[in-house]
Amino acid sequence: MEPCLWLMKNGRQEKSWELEEGKALVVGRNPASEISMSDPSVSKQHCTLLREGGTVLIRDLGSRNGTLVNDSVVRERQLENGDRIAVGDTLFLFQSQEDNFELPAGDVVFDETSASQPTVLLRPQDAMYLQPAKLLGSLATSEPLARNLNALLTISRAASSERNLERLQRRILHATFEVCPAAERGAILLDPRGGEKFRSICCEPKEEVVHVSSTITRQVMGDGMAVLGSDIPHTAGLSAVESLIAAKVHSFLCVPLPSAFDRVIGCIYLVTTNHNSVFQKDDLEMVSAIACLSASALENAQRLAWLEQENERLAAELGTEHHLTGDVENMGLVGQSPSIKNVRKVLKKVAPSNATVLITGESGTGKELAARAIHQHSDRKDKPFVAINCAALAKDLLESELFGHEKGSFTGAVGQKKGKLEVADGGVLFLDEIGEMPMELQVKLLRVLAEREFERVGGTKRIYVDIRLVAATNRNLEEEIEEGRFRQDLYFRLNVVPMVMPPLRDREMDVPMLAQHFVDRYTQRGGMKPKTIALEALACLRNYDWPGNVRELENAMERAVVMGSSDVILPEDLPESLLERAPAAETADDARYHKGVRDLKRKLVSDALEEANGNVVEAAKKLGVHANNLHRLIRNLGLRNKDSGKIKAARG
């Protein structure tokens, strides 16, 4: 065959390029290259392959990230058959000769004894047995195994390079038949689950079906011990196995495939009907060595095949050709309350589209998290996600940050700068706190949404972008429109798909789950032992109204992880503001100490307010605290309703 270069994907040969005599094959990002790649880690002219006479030479062209052959960086090297070439994130396989190991596929049928015959148990005197663990001890003394070292090396190479399950089985069986000339038929069985017919690989072209004795395979799989049987018709125990006699088997060999996790994942089954050619002890040892070398590779290839099938199934169910990553079911949002389930339902519907989304909700409810979930589960997930907080920058800075600027457009503009809109081209632009955007910039943003074009600050060139816009605000934009602080036409452009993030006080049932989620996060980051949350602490968490929402809960749990001195988060590890609220009635008996502290605080505050005739400032002075802290105590201790008249009068 002509030397060629194969593109490898998921262990499969996808595409090939023949190497012509005297003609260089250039690989790189340059569109003019024979093999043009879009991978940014690949240089414009990365490497070249040149065939001269009977050799093929690969030469790196001064690439930025280097050219790897068999995991080694090379400047120039003569290629050999089977060499693996890595260019950026892409893998190629060089092939200069045909691999002659293709074998026809066949069916495996398990032959079972009849119902009228009692179960046959193989006796030690009927066959030869070998524990795979004892194989290494015989390597040093067995000359036949030494002579077959080359076959073992061939199996080892196949096990480390082949990822396709079917091809790997064929190569293993081909090598097995090479070292066991007595074998007429054989099969590799993986994870039989009691069925009667299994797909496997058959090495005899004339045989469409390999008859396998379930009596033999059941014992091998159960005991994890290889079995060799010779002269079956004249062996007392084996002659009672009807399936062997019916198939006219004269000698058989069955070897388990032991995985790395102390379990048997299958077996290699070989038979012969030739009276003059039977399996020997050397065959048993050799096939056992092959099984030990190839079992892990077969298990990994089997898992890879299952994952590929599962990905295809999920892709078909989702109606998309690409595979979503991340937490598809929960969209990255923790909780099982009805309100958060509704948010996930909206996210799943809107994410695959290109519709503009307006996310509203109080500060700290997770609006940016929802925006990132939309991006991660959309067709743009491989493109940039660019976030900008409209409230964090002054008008001029926000304009430059959003649209970019030309050199000399204003004082300090020493060079051209791309704005967030350009950076987000092809991806998602997230505008947080869009209700804070100045009116002048709202006009420019409206044009971007309508025309998908803009000019940099100080520039005249039109720049076209393909972006998806997701905006968020904690303001009521309809009220802002009435007050003249937000454009109605921009609101209509943004509010294509509205979504409201619920406050944490409406998600009480999610508080324990969220709290434990944050505890796990910060213990892992800090390299600490896992921690749980005490029931008394959970009562405090659930009873608090969380004005700062999820962000406040996260901060509270991070503090508890840092301040806690045991493997359990206790009430005293929580911020003081959480302890000032009474727990639920059913847990009051479990927190008497904290209840006593709250009652004492309530009495001190009430007495101070009464002495100050409801004047909060005067009461704060008497207590020696700041007035703002006293207002917080009044709210958290539930005194607002009781003393609201006094407090209101004092403020008036």
Side-chain angles (χ1 to χ4, degrees):
M1 64 171 291
E2 294 292 326
C4 64
L5 190 68
W6 282 93
L7 172 65
M8 304 297 293
K9 286 188 176 181
N10 298 325
R12 298 178 180 177
Q13 298 174 336
E14 294 285 336
K15 184 179 179 181
S16 66
W17 294 265
E18 288 192 0
L19 298 168
E20 301 178 11
E21 180 71 28
K23 184 178 179 181
L25 187 70
V26 180
V27 181
R29 280 193 297 111
N30 193 327
S33 301
E34 282 74 14
I35 302 180
S36 180
M37 308 168 67
S38 59
D39 186 351
S41 63
V42 176
S43 300
K44 288 186 177 180
Q45 288 190 322
H46 199 98
C47 64
T48 181
L49 289 86
L50 180 63
R51 176 185 174 188
E52 291 182 341
T55 64
V56 175
L57 194 70
I58 184 170
R59 181 182 295 112
D60 185 81
L61 300 177
S63 64
R64 193 168 60 251
N65 295 315
T67 301
L68 281 73
V69 176
N70 297 332
D71 301 324
S72 299
V73 179
V74 299
R75 301 286 296 177
E76 185 174 300
R77 175 170 169 171
Q78 180 177 325
L79 294 177
E80 298 180 358
N81 182 52
D83 280 346
R84 304 184 311 278
I85 303 166
V87 179
D89 294 330
T90 304
L91 182 66
F92 297 93
L93 176 70
F94 174 70
Q95 194 171 12
S96 60
Q97 63 187 38
E98 190 74 41
D99 288 335
N100 186 24
F101 57 81
E102 294 294 329
L103 300 171
D107 290 332
V108 174
V109 175
F110 274 88
D111 294 331
E112 187 58 272
T113 55
S114 64
S116 59
Q117 184 184 13
T119 302
V120 178
L121 296 178
L122 301 182
R123 302 174 302 171
Q125 61 266 33
D126 294 332
M128 183 180 298
Y129 297 86
L130 175 69
Q131 290 181 339
K134 296 182 178 179
L135 176 64
L136 294 177
S138 63
L139 280 171
T141 59
S142 179
E143 292 183 3
L145 281 179
R147 290 195 301 267
N148 289 322
L149 180 60
N150 186 53
L152 291 177
L153 293 176
T154 301
I155 289 290
S156 178
R157 183 176 180 181
S160 63
S161 61
E162 185 62 68
R163 295 294 178 266
N164 180 272
L165 179 60
E166 183 177 349
R167 289 175 60 88
L168 179 59
Q169 289 183 93
R170 289 177 179 176
R171 296 181 72 165
I172 293 171
L173 272 179
H174 179 76
T176 303
F177 271 63
E178 287 291 326
V179 300
C180 291
E184 290 182 355
R185 298 188 299 277
I188 292 180
L189 307 175
L190 294 178
D191 265 343
R193 302 184 183 277
E196 295 181 353
K197 189 172 183 179
F198 297 83
R199 291 297 301 170
S200 186
I201 304 301
C202 174
C203 288
E204 172 54 51
K206 295 180 181 180
E207 280 286 336
E208 296 181 357
V209 175
V210 176
H211 290 271
V212 176
S213 170
S214 60
T215 300
I216 304 299
T217 56
R218 205 167 33 229
Q219 178 166 327
V220 169
M221 296 282 289
D223 297 343
M225 187 175 294
V227 178
L228 184 155
S230 300
D231 196 12
I232 306 301
H234 301 96
T235 303
L238 295 176
S239 61
V241 182
E242 288 185 350
S243 56
L244 294 176
I245 301 301
K248 299 180 180 180
V249 174
H250 182 72
S251 180
F252 75 86
L253 194 156
C254 188
V255 176
L257 290 164
S259 78
F261 302 101
D262 296 328
R263 69 183 187 90
V264 177
I265 64 167
C267 60
I268 300 176
Y269 185 87
L270 304 174
V271 296
T272 180
T273 59
N274 190 342
H275 293 263
N276 299 319
S277 180
V278 297
F279 295 112
Q280 305 293 331
K281 178 183 178 182
D282 291 347
D283 297 322
L284 181 67
E285 293 175 339
M286 193 63 192
V287 178
S288 295
I290 291 174
C292 289
L293 284 173
S294 57
S296 294
L298 285 167
E299 186 176 28
N300 291 337
Q302 190 179 26
R303 289 177 178 174
L304 181 61
W306 179 85
L307 286 172
E308 289 176 350
Q309 294 174 358
E310 190 69 6
N311 276 344
E312 292 175 0
R313 182 186 68 79
L314 290 173
E317 289 182 2
L318 293 169
T320 176
E321 295 181 357
H322 70 275
H323 307 315
L324 300 179
T325 58
D327 190 351
V328 177
E329 179 63 26
N330 292 328
M331 307 293 286
L333 301 177
V334 178
Q336 293 299 324
S337 63
S339 57
I340 205 66
K341 284 183 178 180
N342 185 61
V343 169
R344 281 200 289 263
K345 186 184 299 183
V346 174
L347 283 174
K348 288 179 182 179
K349 288 183 178 180
V350 73
S353 72
N354 279 316
T356 301
V357 182
L358 178 61
I359 307 174
T360 58
E362 297 178 9
S363 179
T365 52
K367 296 188 288 296
E368 183 171 348
L369 184 64
R372 291 185 181 276
I374 292 173
H375 170 253
Q376 185 62 30
H377 295 82
S378 71
D379 292 335
R380 299 173 181 261
K381 67 183 181 69
D382 295 325
K383 299 297 182 180
F385 177 89
V386 180
I388 183 170
N389 191 323
C390 300
L393 299 172
K395 171 185 172 296
D396 294 338
L397 291 177
L398 179 59
E399 183 178 18
S400 174
E401 191 73 13
L402 190 59
F403 298 97
H405 61 254
E406 298 288 352
K407 181 179 179 180
S409 57
F410 54 84
T411 303
V414 295
Q416 185 190 79
K417 176 187 175 182
K418 288 185 177 182
K420 298 294 188 184
L421 282 165
E422 284 184 82
V423 176
D425 187 28
V428 173
L429 177 66
F430 175 58
L431 295 180
D432 198 7
E433 303 298 348
I434 197 168
E436 308 286 342
M437 180 178 284
M439 292 290 285
E440 298 87 338
L441 295 186
Q442 293 180 30
V443 177
K444 297 187 69 173
L445 179 62
L446 183 62
R447 180 188 173 191
V448 174
L449 293 177
E451 306 295 338
R452 290 298 192 267
E453 66 177 33
F454 65 95
E455 296 93 26
R456 297 192 188 103
V457 176
T460 57
K461 179 183 177 182
R462 290 185 179 181
I463 300 172
Y464 297 89
V465 290
D466 172 26
I467 61 168
R468 180 180 187 179
L469 184 67
V470 179
T473 181
N474 60 6
R475 292 191 175 190
N476 187 325
L477 292 186
E478 293 180 352
E479 292 181 0
E480 294 294 305
I481 292 171
E482 292 180 3
E483 296 293 333
R485 292 190 292 266
F486 201 84
R487 293 183 62 93
Q488 187 177 42
D489 46 3
L490 177 58
Y491 173 71
F492 290 145
R493 286 281 184 182
L494 296 173
N495 198 38
V496 177
V497 179
M499 189 170 67
V500 180
M501 296 300 294
L504 191 53
R505 60 180 174 275
D506 293 342
R507 301 171 53 192
E508 182 182 337
M509 65 180 295
D510 291 338
V511 170
M513 189 183 303
L514 280 165
Q516 189 62 56
H517 170 75
F518 292 131
V519 168
D520 294 341
R521 171 187 293 180
Y522 289 108
T523 51
Q524 290 174 9
R525 287 184 181 178
M528 306 177 186
K529 293 182 179 179
K531 293 189 176 186
T532 57
I533 306 174
L535 293 177
E536 298 90 338
L538 281 176
C540 296
L541 295 176
R542 297 189 67 166
N543 194 62
Y544 187 60
D545 57 5
W546 299 108
N549 294 295
V550 180
R551 185 182 294 119
E552 184 183 6
L553 174 61
E554 180 178 4
N555 294 339
M557 301 322 296
E558 182 179 10
R559 176 191 186 279
V561 168
V562 174
M563 300 300 293
S565 57
S566 67
D567 294 339
V568 179
I569 302 296
L570 301 173
E572 48 263 37
D573 300 328
L574 300 173
E576 185 181 354
S577 58
L578 273 67
L579 305 180
E580 292 164 357
R581 294 293 301 272
E586 63 271 21
T587 60
D589 291 339
D590 299 326
R592 295 179 181 177
Y593 166 76
H594 302 290
K595 181 178 183 298
V597 172
R598 282 189 298 273
D599 290 343
L600 180 58
K601 286 182 179 181
R602 185 178 292 110
K603 185 176 187 307
L604 288 171
V605 173
S606 296
D607 291 346
L609 285 172
E610 187 174 352
E611 291 176 12
N613 295 319
N615 189 310
V616 176
V617 176
E618 290 298 326
K621 290 179 180 179
K622 291 180 180 294
L623 292 170
V625 299
H626 194 279
N628 290 340
N629 290 339
L630 182 55
H631 279 298
R632 177 176 58 81
L633 284 169
I634 292 170
R635 180 179 68 252
N636 291 338
L637 293 170
L639 295 173
R640 182 175 296 278
N641 293 333
K642 177 181 176 183
D643 299 301
S644 59
K646 295 180 181 179
I647 297 169
K648 185 175 181 180
R651 288 178 176 173

